Amino acid sequence: MIKVSELRKEYKVHERSPGLLAAAKSVFHREYKSVLAVGGVSFEIAAGERVGFLGPNGAGKTTTLKMLAGLLHPTRGEARVDGHEPRRREDAFLKKIMLILGQKQQLFWDLPPSETFEYNRAIYDVPRKQYDETMSELTTLLDLGELVKKPTRQLSLGERMKCELAAALVHRPKVLFLDEPTIGLDVSMQAIIRAFIKQYNERWGATLLLTSHYMDDVAALCPRVIVIDKGKLTYDGKLDALSARIRPAKRVVFRFSRAVDRADVEPIGKIVSFDLAQAVLDVPRDALNEAVERALRTLPVTDLTVENPPLEEIMSELFARGEAVP
């Protein structure tokens, strides 16, 4: 569905020193420097996949999405989306994709969202019957109700985001490029948006490429992740495999019925945090059974959980390394 080969994007940026004299000189002669945004990334995404596209700020994520959507032209390299070259912006291509930017909106500010829905129906030439069926499904899945009749300016951020998604999906795109779709939303609304995106993927078989700084979005939606840093690809593979390579230990949380001594907990694993009623430990995977058995035998454990270390910690360590993970 998506194939990217040695995709590269450079910008020429005007540079000048501060001051009036430098400003005057720049009128007649300008000096430029080349800034690398994306430095030759290659990957493939199959139809129907949900893939997280991760990296620190300035890594080149949004630039890549814009090249895949045809908004930017690559300096070098090639991109194909369902057989189309995005930079050509053909009508057949535009009807298959949608780029959703969490910090941008397409809704008309003083009009109700229903007006934007109708506007998009006309732009994409969606048959009335298909439009009615799609809007009925989207209204149910997103619980839009009477929201679509209120002026957009009267909606909360979460309500606007739900309507933004509905507007973006009027034409049932086969490929979704999602750039921070839950930014600024509260926890409950993030969960609603995540659930809807997953349902849309499963209902229509759409391909998703998602960027987000909320790791809960990635963990809930994306079995596979592609990581770039400073414009270079550093990892492409299963999320669970990345966790195992970067942090091979398991994170175990023990809760106690009474206060315990730190010295009694230390032999079980590496202590991440500790108080009298709870201990959080990192335990090597191959020693997990033994560690849990010892804790249950020697400590007043009332509850325990075993999970991978938080994805935020894994990504922070990967970014700090600044090198590719095999």
Side-chain angles (χ1 to χ4, degrees):
M1 179 60 75
I2 300 174
K3 184 175 182 180
V4 172
S5 178
E6 293 298 321
L7 200 64
R8 184 180 183 91
K9 182 64 177 177
E10 298 177 13
Y11 294 99
K12 285 187 176 181
V13 180
H14 172 222
E15 274 194 332
R16 72 169 177 84
S17 302
L20 183 60
L21 180 59
K25 288 182 177 179
S26 70
V27 173
F28 303 98
H29 175 72
R30 292 193 168 195
E31 294 184 356
Y32 294 86
K33 73 172 182 178
S34 180
V35 176
L36 181 67
V38 179
V41 299
S42 301
F43 58 81
E44 294 186 25
I45 299 175
E49 269 197 284
R50 299 193 304 266
V51 180
F53 194 46
L54 308 180
N57 289 329
K61 305 183 298 297
T62 301
T63 299
T64 302
L65 292 189
K66 288 182 176 180
M67 286 192 285
L68 290 176
L71 296 178
L72 293 176
H73 291 187
T75 305
R76 287 202 296 274
E78 183 180 21
R80 293 279 176 178
V81 178
D82 198 25
H84 298 274
E85 189 177 359
R87 65 188 299 169
R88 295 183 181 276
R89 302 281 289 173
E90 300 162 316
D91 287 346
F93 166 72
L94 295 177
K95 289 182 177 181
K96 294 179 180 179
I97 71 155
M98 179 53 71
L99 172 63
I100 301 175
L101 302 170
Q103 300 185 55
K104 305 289 184 182
Q105 75 167 39
Q106 61 175 313
L107 300 175
F108 298 118
W109 188 245
D110 292 314
L111 297 177
S114 58
E115 296 288 342
T116 303
F117 301 161
E118 285 285 354
Y119 179 73
N120 284 2
R121 185 196 71 79
I123 287 178
Y124 290 103
D125 196 23
V126 179
R128 173 59 66 178
K129 182 179 179 181
Q130 178 183 318
Y131 170 79
D132 290 341
E133 291 174 352
T134 301
M135 290 312 305
S136 177
E137 287 195 24
L138 294 177
T139 298
T140 300
L141 290 173
L142 286 167
D143 191 24
L144 296 180
E146 296 298 308
L147 295 180
V148 299
K149 300 178 182 179
K150 296 181 180 179
T152 297
R153 55 184 165 76
Q154 294 181 5
L155 302 179
S156 70
L157 177 60
E159 291 170 340
R160 289 205 306 272
M161 192 62 222
K162 290 200 296 183
C163 292
E164 287 284 352
L165 283 170
L169 302 177
V170 163
H171 61 296
R172 296 181 186 173
K174 296 171 62 177
V175 182
L176 295 182
F177 301 117
L178 306 175
D179 189 23
E180 303 283 359
T182 62
I183 190 168
L185 303 182
D186 61 40
V187 174
S188 62
M189 189 57 67
Q190 288 176 20
I192 290 171
I193 297 300
R194 284 196 294 265
F196 169 74
I197 291 171
K198 187 173 183 180
Q199 285 176 312
Y200 184 86
N201 161 259
E202 294 171 347
R203 172 69 176 84
W204 300 109
T207 305
L208 305 181
L209 187 58
L210 165 77
T211 77
S212 181
H213 286 105
Y214 297 130
M215 292 299 101
D216 286 345
D217 290 352
V218 179
L221 290 171
C222 304
R224 173 187 169 195
V225 294
I226 296 172
V227 183
I228 63 172
D229 192 2
K230 299 181 179 66
K232 300 286 188 179
L233 191 146
T234 59
Y235 179 77
D236 181 357
K238 297 294 184 181
L239 183 59
D240 288 343
L242 176 63
S243 175
R245 292 178 187 179
I246 299 296
R247 288 289 184 87
K250 281 286 189 178
R251 181 66 53 87
V252 187
V253 180
F254 294 104
R255 296 175 182 85
F256 309 120
S257 60
R258 55 178 173 79
V260 300
D261 293 331
R262 186 185 181 95
D264 294 331
V265 177
E266 287 177 341
I268 297 172
K270 180 181 178 182
I271 296 178
V272 177
S273 66
F274 175 83
D275 61 39
L276 297 179
Q278 177 176 292
V280 180
L281 309 177
D282 279 345
V283 179
R285 293 171 187 253
D286 57 1
L288 182 60
N289 290 340
E290 180 183 346
V292 170
E293 187 278 331
R294 179 171 182 172
L296 294 175
R297 178 167 40 85
T298 61
L299 298 170
V301 177
T302 59
D303 188 23
L304 68 89
T305 58
V306 180
E307 55 194 19
N308 290 324
L311 188 53
E312 288 85 352
E313 294 183 12
I314 294 169
M315 299 311 300
S316 294
E317 185 167 333
L318 177 60
F319 298 156
R321 290 184 181 187
E323 60 185 26
V325 177

